[in-house]
Amino acid sequence: MEDRLERLVRQKFREAGRKYAQARDAYREGREESGGGESASGAVPPSLPRDEAGRVRLVCRRDADKRTVHVGDDGHPECFEAGHPDCEGCVEDVRDGIVETW
């Protein structure tokens, strides 16, 4: 009985590992196709929506509100507060092009 249980557990782990690898590969492929990778210069990806003045439309992680902000060449929005975990995460998302927008 233990052998059957051990085989079943191993089989399920292998199956889960294959599914994880497929999901990981599909995620990477999707990011490459959408151009969602970080740009070499750290500039804002052109895929982010902007208003008429060229400001990026994003949803603030810290205050959970919609806003339009200028983003500098370094990829930091004008509302950025150094050391704040939500702001640090927002900068990473802006550079990756995956920030929540409206």
Side-chain angles (χ1 to χ4, degrees):
M1 181 73 167
E2 285 184 28
D3 290 338
R4 288 180 55 194
L5 179 60
E6 185 177 333
R7 269 196 316 261
L8 177 66
V9 169
R10 284 179 191 248
Q11 181 183 17
K12 293 299 178 181
F13 276 134
R14 276 192 234 114
E15 184 179 329
R18 281 191 294 271
K19 287 185 179 186
Y20 169 76
Q22 289 172 346
R24 181 192 62 215
D25 293 344
Y27 174 78
R28 286 181 182 163
E29 183 179 314
R31 294 231 357 178
E32 289 171 3
E33 287 177 4
S34 70
E38 183 176 340
S39 63
S41 65
V44 181
S47 60
L48 291 177
R50 299 173 184 269
D51 67 0
E52 303 80 35
R55 296 175 297 201
V56 174
R57 296 185 308 189
L58 56 82
V59 176
C60 176
R61 291 174 123 199
R62 180 176 50 184
D63 299 325
D65 62 352
K66 295 177 183 178
R67 55 176 68 173
T68 55
V69 296
H70 288 287
V71 179
D73 292 335
D74 59 355
H76 291 76
E78 61 189 0
C79 56
F80 175 75
E81 183 181 315
H84 195 284
D86 288 335
C87 291
E88 298 287 343
C90 180
V91 167
E92 292 174 16
D93 288 350
V94 166
R95 287 183 183 158
D96 290 344
I98 57 171
V99 67
E100 186 174 350
T101 62
W102 51 279

